């Protein structure tokens, strides 16, 4: 089996930028998040970006799929309550990494049924507000039949971790 590895150019440019930032004390990479929308492809239909360009990132945080289970192990019965709980769990994981929803650049949502797509979209828009991360929604069999959805995110770290060495 052959692995799909990035090209040397693809790896070299970000690596050079990182090495320059390390090699030049006092220099800082400016961080920017920019929504990308190609005129040659369909536009995003509701509350997300087709692509997101992030420059000047120190690292990425991958939040595993968060499930609709609270600390006591309870699972709400209805979709809206499950969706809000999953988003709360996502926010708790981000906070544990010193991040928040403003740092999210990619969301992947797994829905147990297409019937929940409209409510999922509405609640996601409510939670994210004006934020527009890249988004994928997959209709899939979820691990536990009581769970109606699962959400994973990728967040960009744009500032040093508190207490980390410079």
């Amino acid at each position: 089996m052959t692995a799909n590895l990035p090209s040397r150019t693809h790896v070299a440019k970000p690596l050079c930028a990182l090495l320059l930032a390390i090699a030049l004390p006092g220099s800082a990479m400016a961080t920017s998040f920019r929504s990308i929308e190609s005129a040659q492809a369909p536009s995003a239909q509701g509350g997300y970006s087709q692509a997101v360009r992030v420059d000047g990132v120190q690292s990425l945080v991958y939040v595993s799929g968060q499930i609709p289970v609270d600390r006591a192990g309870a699972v709400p019965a209805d979709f809206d309550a499950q969706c809000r709980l999953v988003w709360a769990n996502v926010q708790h994981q981000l906070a544990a990494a010193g991040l928040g929803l403003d740092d999210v650049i990619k969301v992947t949502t797994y829905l147990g049924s297409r019937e929940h797509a409209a409510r999922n979209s509405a609640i996601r828009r409510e939670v994210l507000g004006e934020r527009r991360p890249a988004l994928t929604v997959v209709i899939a069999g979820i691990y536990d039949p009581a769970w109606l959805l699962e959400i994973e995110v990728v967040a960009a770290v744009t500032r040093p971790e508190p207490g980390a060495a410079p």
Side-chain angles (χ1 to χ4, degrees):
M1 180 189 323
T2 305
N4 291 329
L5 299 175
S7 70
R8 287 183 181 170
T9 304
H10 183 74
V11 172
K13 286 183 181 179
L15 183 58
C16 287
L18 179 60
L19 290 175
L20 279 173
I22 293 169
L24 302 173
S27 69
M29 295 187 294
T31 302
S32 66
F33 296 76
R34 185 169 58 92
S35 179
I36 307 286
E37 301 288 340
S38 170
Q40 285 71 45
S43 62
Q45 299 297 313
Y48 67 96
S49 296
Q50 291 287 34
V52 176
R53 180 182 175 127
V54 184
D55 295 314
V57 172
Q58 292 194 352
S59 60
L60 298 173
V61 172
Y62 292 83
V63 177
S64 293
Q66 296 299 294
I67 56 176
V69 178
D70 66 18
R71 293 279 296 169
V75 177
D78 67 285
F79 181 82
D80 284 22
Q82 284 197 19
C83 192
R84 291 179 201 293
L85 177 56
V86 169
W87 276 110
N89 289 340
V90 165
Q91 289 177 298
H92 293 315
Q93 297 302 334
L94 290 169
L99 303 172
L101 292 175
D102 287 340
D103 303 300
V104 172
I105 59 174
K106 174 72 168 93
V107 174
T108 303
T109 301
Y110 300 93
L111 294 177
S113 171
R114 189 175 308 280
E115 74 183 85
H116 302 301
R119 288 303 303 145
N120 174 65
S121 179
I123 293 169
R124 183 189 67 250
R125 289 181 196 189
E126 176 188 313
V127 170
L128 293 179
E130 296 300 313
R131 301 172 191 93
R132 297 289 181 259
L135 171 71
T136 300
V137 178
V138 178
I139 309 301
I142 307 295
Y143 181 77
D144 185 315
W147 306 342
L148 303 176
L149 78 160
E150 184 172 333
I151 298 174
E152 63 184 29
V153 303
V154 178
V157 178
T158 59
R159 58 202 170 277
E161 190 171 355

